[in-house]
Amino acid sequence: MIRQMPQKPRRVASEPARKAPGKAAVFEPIVPQPAYGRVAAAIEQKILNRTLGQGDPLPSETELARQFGVNRSTVREAVRRLESSGLVGRATGSKRLRVTRPGQSATASSMSRALALDDVTFIELWEAMLAIAPRTAALATAHARPENLERLELCIQRVESARGSETAVAGVVEFFASLAATRANRVLVLAMQPITKLLAPSLRRMIDRVPQGRSRIVVAQRCVVEALRKGDAAEAHSWMTRHVQDFRRGYELAGIALDTRAADR
């Protein structure tokens, strides 16, 4: 009897492996941070959570290097970053670093730089002012004291009597800052200052090119102050809205393109 040899199984060509459908990434790649950045962030966190208060001395450079386990050059660079942010500094004639608090002007300048670097345009700044300024004027009516009204009047007089547009615009910027200070709301003050600082160059051009521009600013601001004096929040809101809207009309009359970047001033 002849035995049949078992047949080898026939090989079937395998199908190419199917790739799993692509999934949207949930996480973003981690960006490595240099050691000095981590040191600066750690010190900054201690300042922000008030573990280190204003005026408190920082440990020496050597001691910080020991505590963080890094080189002194790393600490030196971290401290440089904190100094530029206004979070630490040295008193005149002292080598000891202490915790400081950046003033409103320094904070506003920093925010203005950030906005300019982000390529914001004049129309974006104008829209932000239209959203903030009228509400600020309305809120200020409940807090306006004689000294606040006097300061606002001085700003208006500065605009009215200025011989050049630069001085006039400085008065306009100060008016908005004083209005926010009247409400005593630090958030509104810090929100207003970077906007007016970046809008200032376009306001100068508008006043130079539109003869009636300055007089319209003075009239509107006096009406806002009168509304504050009467304690009429609705009137203050209405006049400030008209005031800010008038800026845009002035830009158009002066031939200023509103889509121009603030950094291109």
Side-chain angles (χ1 to χ4, degrees):
M1 184 175 180
I2 301 173
R3 294 182 179 178
Q4 293 183 344
M5 297 294 293
Q7 295 181 351
K8 294 181 179 180
R10 299 174 65 183
R11 292 182 179 178
V12 179
S14 59
E15 296 182 1
R18 294 182 180 178
K19 294 182 179 180
K23 295 182 179 179
V26 178
F27 302 102
E28 295 181 357
I30 296 176
V31 179
Q33 186 180 17
Y36 67 79
R38 295 198 297 273
V39 170
I43 297 174
E44 179 179 339
Q45 186 58 40
K46 293 293 185 184
I47 294 171
L48 294 178
N49 65 21
R50 300 300 193 270
T51 301
L52 291 171
Q54 186 175 3
D56 287 350
L58 284 185
S60 67
E61 188 178 280
T62 302
E63 177 59 19
L64 285 172
R66 185 191 69 78
Q67 291 187 26
F68 283 110
V70 297
N71 296 325
R72 289 179 61 184
S73 59
T74 300
V75 171
R76 201 172 298 123
E77 182 59 32
V79 167
R80 191 176 294 117
R81 293 186 66 177
L82 293 169
E83 283 185 293
S84 65
S85 301
L87 294 176
V88 300
R90 294 177 174 86
T92 304
S94 174
K95 294 183 178 180
R96 192 67 183 270
L97 278 168
R98 294 182 181 275
V99 175
T100 58
R101 180 180 296 174
Q104 289 182 349
S105 178
T107 303
S109 294
S110 177
M111 292 172 66
S112 294
R113 286 195 299 272
L115 290 170
L117 289 171
D118 204 33
D119 292 334
V120 297
T121 61
F122 286 128
I123 186 63
E124 291 176 297
L125 294 169
W126 177 83
E127 288 172 346
M129 177 172 276
L130 186 60
I132 296 171
R135 184 58 181 160
T136 301
L139 291 171
T141 56
H143 302 269
R145 298 179 178 179
E147 57 267 27
N148 300 126
L149 299 175
E150 183 179 355
R151 185 174 180 181
L152 290 167
E153 283 287 359
L154 288 173
C155 295
I156 297 171
Q157 291 172 19
R158 187 179 180 187
V159 177
E160 193 172 30
S161 62
R163 293 186 177 181
S165 60
E166 188 167 350
T167 304
V169 169
V172 174
V173 171
E174 182 61 25
F175 179 88
F176 282 99
S178 299
L179 184 66
T182 298
R183 174 59 185 89
N185 186 314
R186 288 167 292 180
V187 176
L188 290 175
V189 171
L190 289 174
M192 191 78 76
Q193 285 183 347
I195 295 172
T196 54
K197 185 180 178 68
L198 287 173
L199 279 175
S202 63
L203 287 176
R204 280 198 296 271
R205 293 204 294 274
M206 187 264 284
I207 289 175
D208 284 336
R209 299 177 187 178
V210 181
Q212 69 273 28
R214 189 188 306 199
S215 61
R216 291 182 69 88
I217 289 172
V218 169
V219 168
Q221 291 186 347
R222 284 222 162 98
C223 289
V224 170
V225 172
E226 184 59 29
L228 295 182
R229 187 174 284 110
K230 294 188 297 185
D232 191 331
E235 186 176 334
H237 188 285
S238 175
W239 267 110
M240 181 54 76
T241 300
R242 285 187 249 179
H243 184 27
V244 178
Q245 288 174 337
D246 220 27
F247 284 166
R248 177 165 182 166
R249 285 191 286 271
Y251 291 155
E252 292 169 349
L253 290 172
I256 299 171
L258 292 176
D259 59 354
T260 302
R261 295 181 306 171
D264 295 339
R265 54 188 174 170

